[in-house]
Amino acid sequence: MRKISADLIFPVSGAPIVNGVIVLEDDGTILSVDQMEQHDPGSVENYEGIIVPGFVNTHCHLELSHMKGLVDTGTGLLPFLQKVVAFRDFPQDQILDAIDQADQYMYDQGIVAVGDISNKLDTAGRKEKSEIRYHTFVEMFDFLQDGAAQTTHEQYEPVFAGQSTGGGNVKSYVPHAPYTVSQKLFRMIRELNKGKNITVSIHNQETPHEDELFLTKTGGFKEFYRTFNIPLTEFSATGKTAIHYALENMDPNSRTLFVHNTMTRPEDIRAAHDWSDKLYWATCANANLYIENRLPNYQSFLDNNARMTIGTDSLTSNWQLSVLEEMKTIARYQSYVPFETLIRWATLNGAEALGFADSLGSIEAGKKPGLNLLNLDADLQLTTETKVEKLA
């Protein structure tokens, strides 16, 4: 048994606690959260800083970890995607070694759960033995070609079957993005996930070109598809922004995680909330800056009571896989977002979005959320010097 205290405890599920003590089983399960006067001070580990639950990274591409630093920053999404395709073929030992290092780095950075996009089986072995809990999103795309939907599913069946389900890991079939998934493939994904307690993730409104395609069938995606000799003859503009195509073709009864949302407008947020009460939003601030040199307007999400979560995206599009660094970036560029809000995005909201809130996301008796120690300034704000120390 351990007893841990710090200057302040942020349970996330309740108000911050001064002079609190977290009592833990040796395996990290919380027995109680008490006041210091209930314990002999000599039996308590005391730390300077604040204690928060372990972080939840709701969007990552672990299998792309070998591509760190290979793709230029600030190019925009379409050139970025072309570079990713060009660099994917590497020696397998390098790919697996990079995956191992990235998983360990995330663990050392206080991350306890990850929503991870997989197009291959490269990460399955690491996930099976990792200290991190994974929700693996097996991502499918047919480039808006109804005729390719069945073949696409058959291609990904072995990828899905081989994903890790040990140690509390789960998996689901998911669509890549509105601009790459046909209506037929959307229908197949709905059927494959029907009745299961899983989350469905989809990239959303990451670039202005995405909305232009759906509004008027113009913009950069026409040339992008032409470059890969993929016809868009079957596709017709909907006259609505891209997220509406996703809403019309996804299951509102599944937990749904919209990722990036860089161009998402208040009316898009409201339409999504009207569509489902099981909706979450993932922001990957550093990746948005890396690729598009822009951030979402977080005020729009705050104004509409959106349940935000935090992702890191991949080492192809980020300098590191750290939820803390994502929080620091948001605080630096949109400082009106309070720390208390950011920590909820980074923990409990993420745990709920991945279906892991039974054991992760908040400091409560019966949970095993992990404990992170952060050093903030005197006003309880993140600074460039803020670090994370994993306590449990």
Side-chain angles (χ1 to χ4, degrees):
M1 181 186 298
R2 296 176 66 194
K3 300 177 182 180
I4 299 177
S5 183
D7 299 325
L8 201 61
I9 296 171
F10 273 77
V12 180
S13 55
I17 301 170
V18 180
N19 295 322
V21 176
I22 305 166
V23 183
L24 302 165
E25 293 274 20
D26 290 338
D27 70 351
T29 301
I30 295 175
L31 294 174
S32 63
V33 182
D34 305 326
Q35 289 296 309
M36 182 64 78
E37 58 262 27
Q38 297 174 252
H39 299 274
D40 173 8
S43 68
V44 178
E45 302 173 35
N46 280 288
Y47 296 91
E48 293 183 2
I50 72 163
I51 295 176
V52 299
F55 297 136
V56 178
N57 176 0
T58 57
H59 184 73
C60 187
H61 296 254
L62 185 62
E63 67 188 25
L64 299 181
S65 298
H66 61 286
M67 293 174 58
K68 183 177 182 180
L70 295 181
V71 180
D72 294 333
T73 62
T75 63
L77 181 64
L78 299 183
F80 172 83
L81 291 175
Q82 290 172 323
K83 285 285 186 72
V84 170
V85 172
F87 280 124
R88 282 193 75 122
D89 292 326
F90 264 66
Q92 191 66 10
D93 59 338
Q94 291 185 30
I95 293 173
L96 296 180
D97 183 59
I99 288 168
D100 288 348
Q101 290 185 44
D103 173 82
Q104 184 63 50
Y105 176 84
M106 286 195 288
Y107 178 76
D108 293 341
Q109 289 294 306
I111 294 172
V112 296
V114 175
D116 187 58
I117 301 290
S118 290
N119 301 113
K120 299 180 179 181
L121 280 168
D122 294 346
T123 61
R126 179 66 185 195
K127 288 172 180 173
E128 192 67 20
K129 60 186 179 182
S130 176
E131 296 288 340
I132 295 172
R133 189 175 179 186
Y134 281 90
H135 191 310
T136 298
F137 300 119
V138 177
E139 179 186 74
M140 297 196 289
F141 45 89
D142 60 3
F143 297 106
L144 297 171
Q145 310 297 306
D146 269 354
Q150 182 62 42
T151 302
T152 298
H153 174 225
E154 292 170 0
Q155 172 190 344
Y156 279 97
E157 278 186 309
V159 178
F160 184 83
Q163 297 299 330
S164 170
T165 54
N169 294 338
V170 297
K171 58 186 178 180
S172 57
Y173 283 104
V174 302
H176 168 252
Y179 57 85
T180 56
V181 179
S182 70
Q183 289 181 307
K184 184 175 180 180
L185 186 55
F186 265 121
R187 288 195 297 270
M188 295 179 72
I189 292 170
R190 288 202 309 267
E191 286 301 312
L192 289 166
N193 290 327
K194 190 173 182 179
K196 299 177 181 177
N197 183 29
I198 50 83
T199 302
V200 176
S201 166
I202 184 170
H203 296 79
N204 178 64
Q205 294 174 300
E206 195 173 353
T207 175
H209 298 292
E210 188 173 339
D211 281 337
E212 289 172 8
L213 177 68
F214 284 91
L215 286 167
T216 58
K217 201 176 177 178
T218 59
F221 272 111
K222 290 192 71 176
E223 177 62 19
F224 177 82
Y225 271 81
R226 190 198 65 77
T227 301
F228 288 101
N229 296 314
I230 299 171
L232 278 178
T233 52
E234 296 179 17
F235 174 78
S236 298
T238 64
K240 300 178 181 178
T241 54
I243 194 171
H244 289 271
Y245 176 71
L247 298 177
E248 290 162 6
N249 287 283
M250 297 176 73
D251 183 358
N253 297 308
S254 291
R255 282 190 308 274
T256 304
L257 181 65
F258 283 101
V259 180
H260 290 303
N261 317 299
T262 323
M263 306 306 301
T264 303
R265 304 174 304 178
E267 53 266 39
D268 295 324
I269 300 170
R270 290 191 289 270
H273 288 174
D274 288 342
W275 172 75
S276 175
D277 61 357
K278 298 179 179 179
L279 196 68
Y280 294 85
W281 308 84
T283 184
C284 306
N286 283 319
N288 297 155
L289 292 173
Y290 192 109
I291 298 170
E292 287 268 331
N293 257 338
R294 69 177 89 226
L295 290 173
N297 180 0
Y298 295 115
Q299 190 63 56
S300 296
F301 293 91
L302 293 174
D303 290 344
N304 286 281
N305 298 314
R307 288 178 292 197
M308 297 293 292
T309 71
I310 291 178
T312 63
D313 215 355
S314 73
L315 285 175
T316 321
S317 58
N318 204 335
W319 299 270
Q320 68 279 306
L321 303 180
S322 166
V323 169
L324 175 60
E325 290 303 318
E326 299 298 316
M327 293 169 63
K328 288 161 73 171
T329 294
I330 296 169
R332 183 181 309 124
Y333 289 102
Q334 298 193 29
S335 58
Y336 57 82
V337 183
F339 173 77
E340 293 86 346
T341 298
L342 286 175
I343 201 64
R344 187 179 183 95
W345 292 3
T347 57
L348 187 54
N349 282 7
E352 290 176 353
L354 298 183
F356 295 160
D358 59 332
S359 58
L360 305 178
S362 59
I363 299 173
E364 298 180 76
K367 288 192 174 187
K368 187 180 176 182
L371 300 178
N372 290 337
L373 182 72
L374 304 179
N375 56 308
L376 304 184
D377 67 14
D379 296 320
L380 298 181
Q381 297 298 315
L382 294 162
T383 73
T384 56
E385 303 304 315
T386 300
K387 306 293 183 186
V388 57
E389 178 182 347
K390 190 174 181 66
L391 298 180

